[in-house]
Amino acid sequence: MRKLIFISFIVVGAAVGLFTALHDNWGVKAVMMTIGSVVGTVLGGALTSTGRRSRSPQTFESDDAYGQGTTAKDRDRNYWRDKGHPPFMKPPNAEPDHHMFDPDRQD
């Protein structure tokens, strides 16, 4: 039933494009029918939910291994915080020491 509605939107869009350019030559009619069918495809797909994948809502609390720091989901969740390193494997910050150019440290 949804495919029938989807195809009917495409046909109606092409018909609207044809009637818009009814008194023009065939090139303009073909372009307008194409534009109308594209708009009909978009509207039909949106209204009939064609091509939409069903996604199950995932919450962080429903995951049993959340917070363990070992699963791929945890690495994905904390990617920007850990700057791409696995949990507990992050190298230390290499901030320069304030006294690294003192004369007594030059060797």
Side-chain angles (χ1 to χ4, degrees), residues 21-90:
L22 192 60
H23 299 291
D24 291 324
N25 59 7
W26 279 104
V28 176
K29 287 180 186 178
V31 170
M32 291 302 290
M33 286 174 63
T34 304
I35 292 172
S37 63
V38 168
V39 171
T41 303
V42 170
L43 290 175
L47 291 176
T48 60
S49 301
T50 303
R52 185 174 296 170
R53 295 181 183 141
S54 63
R55 296 181 183 173
S56 61
Q58 296 178 355
T59 59
F60 295 132
E61 290 78 27
S62 66
D63 193 4
D64 292 335
Y66 179 69
Q68 298 297 318
T70 57
T71 64
K73 288 181 183 179
D74 280 336
R75 282 193 302 264
D76 291 343
R77 286 183 192 126
N78 300 326
Y79 180 79
W80 294 110
R81 183 194 69 192
D82 297 335
K83 297 179 181 161
H85 299 288
F88 306 114
M89 301 293 255
K90 185 176 175 184

